[in-house]
Amino acid sequence: MLSEYFVFKTKTDDFNQRLDKILKELKNNNNKVIIYGFGAGFRELYSKFGLSQLNICAIADINNIKRGTFENIPTIHPEEIKQFDFDSILITNESYETILHYLRNDLAIEDKKIVTVFKENVTDENKNYKYLVKYNFEKNLTKLKNKLKSKKIVVYGAGALFELMYKYFNLQELNIIAVADIKYDLHDENEKFLNIKAISPLEIADLKPEYVLVATKNYINIVNDLCYYLLKNTGIKVGLFIKKPFIDTLKDIWKS
């Protein structure tokens, strides 16, 4: 079964441009390719994304694979990789860091021979996308767009989570005038994050936004500081990009 991240990622322009480039290079050089990864993702990439056009000499996977053949291609255990004459290893797994470590350190494969189909363009992209899905981010985003049309908004949280939201989801309907974060307590006047004005949380009130939307995973203490200290008596409202169920919120409180 394909993961939600796989389905999401393979629809992005970044992914398809990267894969097209990889396939062209491997085909033009007539590289002998070993595929690493034999799950549902590989089968989707093979049948619908052009991997079948490659000169594949073997398919390796440490899990869920029986020695035999697939489309007349040998299926092997990764320990057998060095028995084959190959030019490149193409990793089809969406989580590839452990595999990279294994190929580099256990099998001593040169970096120049290893290619990954997937590449995270944002730190912790896979993990954070799953987090957004878990808490129904897109549904809440639609509600925010309807509720906050034309309202001036400051986002609290200049981290990888908001970067993922900004890169892959349409936030253009939100009138975001700045991003606040404690890392900007000392910042240049023209500092920006994702091409948005970056400010210290202490400067939020000066901008007179109508809303502050918190874009962090752990938001209890942040919301408390905003409501009872930084924005007290300002009339500025505080909202959340992600709303967790009550039980998960309780767990966050216990951890804080």
Side-chain angles (χ1 to χ4, degrees):
M1 181 177 176
L2 299 175
S3 74
E4 290 172 315
Y5 177 74
F6 181 99
V7 174
F8 152 75
K9 184 70 173 178
T10 53
K11 290 179 180 178
T12 65
D13 291 339
D14 287 345
F15 175 86
N16 284 282
Q17 290 167 8
R18 174 180 172 80
L19 183 57
D20 285 346
K21 183 179 179 181
I22 289 170
L23 294 179
K24 284 177 184 176
E25 289 179 355
L26 294 177
K27 285 190 294 185
N28 289 344
N29 296 325
N30 197 30
N31 280 21
K32 295 187 286 291
V33 179
I34 290 181
I35 298 291
Y36 194 115
F38 193 54
F42 160 72
R43 289 172 172 78
E44 185 78 0
L45 293 168
Y46 187 85
S47 63
K48 298 180 181 179
F49 287 82
L51 261 65
S52 59
Q53 304 168 32
L54 298 177
N55 179 18
I56 302 173
C57 58
I59 304 169
D61 199 316
I62 202 164
N63 298 312
N64 303 320
I65 191 166
K66 294 180 180 179
R67 288 173 179 79
T69 60
F70 171 83
E71 302 276 334
N72 295 318
I73 303 167
T75 57
I76 63 173
H77 190 279
E79 291 176 355
E80 301 174 70
I81 285 175
K82 287 210 162 185
Q83 298 174 20
F84 284 77
D85 177 25
F86 66 91
D87 300 301
S88 303
I89 296 177
L90 183 62
I91 302 173
T92 60
N93 301 60
E94 59 200 62
S95 299
Y96 51 82
E97 290 296 340
T98 301
I99 297 168
L100 279 175
H101 184 273
Y102 172 74
L103 293 174
R104 290 166 174 163
N105 296 282
D106 291 54
L107 298 187
I109 306 294
E110 299 173 85
D111 276 359
K112 65 181 181 180
K113 289 190 172 186
I114 305 172
V115 184
T116 64
V117 169
F118 288 84
K119 180 183 179 182
E120 294 196 350
N121 297 309
V122 177
T123 303
D124 293 329
E125 182 179 284
N126 190 337
K127 180 173 70 176
N128 283 334
Y129 179 77
K130 290 174 181 175
Y131 183 88
L132 295 181
V133 170
K134 178 181 178 180
Y135 292 115
N136 299 306
F137 167 70
E138 284 193 271
K139 183 177 180 180
N140 195 49
L141 179 60
T142 299
K143 291 180 180 178
L144 290 172
K145 287 178 181 179
N146 292 330
K147 180 180 178 180
L148 305 183
K149 281 182 180 178
S150 302
K151 304 289 186 184
K152 289 196 297 182
I153 298 166
V154 169
V155 172
Y156 190 112
L161 188 65
F162 179 63
E163 187 175 355
L164 178 64
M165 296 176 190
Y166 188 84
K167 181 172 178 61
Y168 290 115
F169 297 89
N170 182 13
L171 304 185
Q172 303 307 311
E173 293 175 48
L174 297 175
N175 182 20
I176 299 171
I177 61 172
V179 178
D181 199 290
I182 57 173
K183 67 183 179 183
Y184 299 121
D185 280 350
L186 297 174
H187 66 90
D188 296 332
E189 185 178 349
N190 297 317
E191 187 95 37
K192 291 192 175 183
F193 179 73
L194 302 175
N195 209 33
I196 304 170
K197 181 179 179 66
I199 64 171
S200 164
L202 299 173
E203 300 173 273
I204 294 175
D206 296 335
L207 293 183
K208 295 183 167 69
E210 291 160 274
Y211 274 84
V212 173
L213 290 181
V214 180
T216 61
K217 290 182 179 179
N218 298 313
Y219 50 72
I220 300 299
N221 290 334
I222 292 170
V223 170
N224 184 70
D225 287 344
L226 289 171
C227 291
Y228 296 105
Y229 298 98
L230 295 177
L231 305 180
K232 187 177 180 180
N233 299 323
T234 63
I236 299 170
K237 297 178 181 178
V238 178
L240 303 170
F241 266 113
I242 297 168
K243 289 188 175 181
K244 299 180 185 179
F246 179 68
I247 187 64
D248 287 1
T249 303
L250 277 180
K251 289 177 182 176
D252 289 342
I253 293 172
W254 291 335
K255 290 177 186 176
S256 62

